[in-house]
Amino acid sequence: MLVSVTERTREIGIRKALGAKPGMLLLQFVVEAVVLSLCGGLLGIAVGVGLGLGISDVIAHYADQPFPSVVSPSSALLALGLSSAVGLFFGIWPAARAARLDPVEALGRE
């Protein structure tokens, strides 16, 4: 998100020059950050659970006894919450900074 906002400073300048309010610009990037963070967090949880189940199957196959893989819902929610928090921080911080820019200055940045 930090790179996305930094690369889109010119777009932010154009939108501000056309009358967009700083709050609306911030809302756009907050929604984008939440969606990306939640998707990334859910994908990470799915990969983690899948790898855990796969590894437990391999171990159970060679050990000739069950070897359950345990992923608690609380740890999955914690991972999702941390993913969202990091995404929100790195989405809000640069977006708020860019939303305060003067439109002429934002358009001049490359």
Side-chain angles (χ1 to χ4, degrees), residues 28-109:
Q28 172 192 348
F29 288 104
V30 168
V31 169
E32 189 176 320
V34 167
V35 169
L36 285 175
S37 298
L38 285 176
C39 289
L42 291 172
L43 183 64
I45 290 170
V47 169
V49 169
L51 283 174
L53 292 173
I55 290 171
S56 70
D57 285 346
V58 169
I59 292 173
H61 175 73
Y62 288 109
D64 294 327
Q65 62 183 3
F67 190 83
S69 173
V70 179
V71 177
S72 69
S74 61
S75 66
L77 286 175
L78 177 65
L80 192 59
L82 287 175
S83 163
S84 297
V86 169
L88 274 174
F89 176 74
F90 285 104
I92 292 173
W93 175 57
R97 196 176 58 183
R100 287 190 304 263
L101 283 176
D102 180 50
V104 175
E105 184 181 334
L107 286 169
R109 287 195 178 182

Side-chain angles (χ1 to χ4, degrees), residues 14-15 41 79 85:
I14 291 171
R15 291 185 63 197

